[in-house]
Amino acid sequence: MIKTSSRLLAGAALAIVPLLGLAGVASADTQSVNYSCQGKAAGQTTNTSLSQNVDSTAPATVAPGGALTITLAPEVNTVPTQAGSFSVKSVKNLTLAVPIPANATLVSFSLSGGSGIGSASVAQVGNNIVTSVTGPINGGAQFQLPALTLNLTAGDSGTITTTLAGTSFTDAGLKFTTTVSVFGFPIDAPTSCFPSPAPTLTSTTIGS
């Protein structure tokens, strides 16, 4: 039987982290968001970064008390098949959090589209709207995360801005688990990420 050290297994799992950037649909406004990430497996911790393009649509202005809709939509992406010399088995249990904007009241939220991701759900968790994807999404497979739509009522004044949640590894806005195969041994690397810096995805001015 081949013996593989826990450090080798952990290193293989953590090597996948920087390969998981999500691309955005070309539309009204597409931004590249940088995430700082930390993965942990078999007692080893690795820090890295990834980039994620986010396509955002929102009105430039809205009347006080008026209704507005904001949509954030990723595009088709592909899970890599390799992490260095190791095979990627799958990605699973991905969550992405979006804060409820200030100067507005949340009316409703929903997901639309998405493919190759297993089941998807969305829920309000505190002051965040969290999209959850179960997977698993196999290495080499294409997938598309669902678009998130927020329906809001504007406040009396100010600016309504959207961003992505997360301020630290312990207050992560993006989480996922990658499973890699090392000499036939599967190992999971739970990973926590936060945007650095936090982006302004949309900005809507409240005015008459």
Side-chain angles (χ1 to χ4, degrees):
M1 177 180 295
I2 298 174
K3 293 184 178 180
T4 306
S5 72
S6 62
R7 286 187 177 274
L8 176 60
L9 292 170
L14 297 173
I16 188 63
V17 174
L19 301 179
L20 291 176
L22 303 177
V25 184
S27 183
D29 188 15
T30 301
Q31 296 186 44
S32 179
V33 179
N34 294 315
Y35 272 98
S36 294
C37 297
Q38 185 176 85
K40 295 183 177 182
Q44 185 175 356
T45 299
T46 296
N47 293 337
T48 186
S49 62
L50 62 81
S51 62
Q52 175 178 348
N53 291 340
V54 178
D55 176 66
S56 311
T57 58
T61 61
V62 63
L68 70 154
T69 297
I70 297 172
T71 301
L72 310 176
E75 71 171 13
V76 173
N77 202 357
T78 303
V79 176
T81 57
Q82 293 291 127
S85 60
F86 304 101
S87 298
V88 176
K89 293 179 66 67
S90 64
V91 174
K92 60 186 177 182
N93 300 334
L94 184 149
T95 61
L96 179 64
V98 175
I100 299 170
N103 299 321
T105 300
L106 180 66
V107 176
S108 64
F109 52 89
S110 62
L111 297 179
S112 60
S115 62
I117 54 176
S119 62
S121 60
V122 63
Q124 182 175 350
V125 181
N127 197 45
N128 292 329
I129 303 301
V130 179
T131 299
S132 300
V133 170
T134 60
I137 310 169
N138 292 333
Q142 287 192 328
F143 67 97
Q144 185 172 22
L145 295 177
L148 172 65
T149 297
L150 303 176
N151 294 307
L152 307 165
T153 299
D156 294 331
S157 62
T159 303
I160 301 168
T161 60
T162 55
T163 186
L164 295 170
T167 59
S168 66
F169 298 132
T170 57
D171 177 36
L174 172 65
K175 300 178 183 179
F176 55 86
T177 301
T178 301
T179 303
V180 298
S181 179
V182 183
F183 302 117
F185 293 91
I187 186 168
D188 288 344
T191 304
S192 300
C193 309
F194 66 95
S196 179
T200 298
L201 298 177
T202 67
S203 180
T204 300
T205 301
I206 302 172
S208 56

